[in-house]
Amino acid sequence: MSNTITTTKTPNSGPKRTQPFPRPRTRTPAENSSAEELLVAARRLGENDPRADRLRERVVLLHQPLAKKIARRYQGRGEPLEDLYQAAMVGYTKAMRGYDPSYGKPFVAYLVPTVAGEVKRHFRDHTWAMRVSRSQQEERSRLRRVTYEFQQDHARTPTTAELARQMDMTEDEVNQLTQASNAYQCLSLEAPDTSGAEEESMRLEDHLGSKDHALELVDQRESLKPALARLPERDRQLLGLRFFCDHTQAEIADRMGCSQMHVSRLLSGVLERLRTEMGESTAKART
């Protein structure tokens, strides 16, 4: 028996080509697909596939109202609502990237804490005017709640000791927490004064104190008083007209019935006498 195998060739037939195996097509999720089905399909496509981005956009539309509802819970705490919406959507994006359907949990169960955590992180990292410790940031909400409840029950503001008992803290810790809470939001010095001032154009900066240069002359004025008291009446009147009433030498001369030159000589003599006495008193004070 022969073991050879014969093949039959058909006329005009070339070499037979092998057809490539058809690649399986990824089924596009239906319009009513759940967020879990859309995210599973997006993960199969890969990060760089534009079809995956379109699927995630569909996921955003499914639960976007829920993210906005979470953001509105934190409204009225000094932050614009639009900024809270933006922080919530950042958390939404993180939830879509981090959700793992293999755990068997619904997407909403992962979405809610992720969005809420991102909004809280926004308050912690971007709303404090000054940097304080993490523990003080977290205790600030409890301080506000305890203060509010005490005011509702007693119709007055609690003392530091009462807050310390309510919060199980020392009075020093409550004082530090209160100071840190005041650093949550600072007013600009250029903000208008809303305390009922008559001048509408006044700013908070206008109420700040400044260096009083007249204080540097207090010692000199006090030392000058005894020297002035020893002057004759005419010399005191001359100094008063010239340096306190701002009269010119010509006006003083007309008032005293003498020449301007005579007034000039009198002033020079009186001032020289005062300088001498002041110099002597200063030298005695130093010794």
Side-chain angles (χ1 to χ4, degrees), residues 5 9 46 83 109 152 215 225 233 270:
I5 300 175
K9 292 184 179 181
D83 291 352
Q152 294 296 313
L215 291 176
K225 284 181 180 180
E233 179 64 27
V270 173

Side-chain angles (χ1 to χ4, degrees), residues 3 39 123 136 154 157 165 188 191 218 228 284:
N3 293 329
L39 290 174
F123 276 98
Q136 289 176 332
H154 301 84
T157 302
R165 288 194 297 269
S188 172
V218 171
L228 290 173
K284 290 181 180 179

Side-chain angles (χ1 to χ4, degrees), residues 143-159 162-163 166:
L143 174 65
R144 294 180 59 189
R145 186 182 69 254
V146 171
T147 302
Y148 176 78
E149 292 175 352
F150 188 95
Q151 291 174 341
Q152 294 296 313
D153 295 338
H154 301 84
R156 63 177 178 87
T157 302
T159 64
E162 290 168 339
L163 286 175
Q166 292 288 333

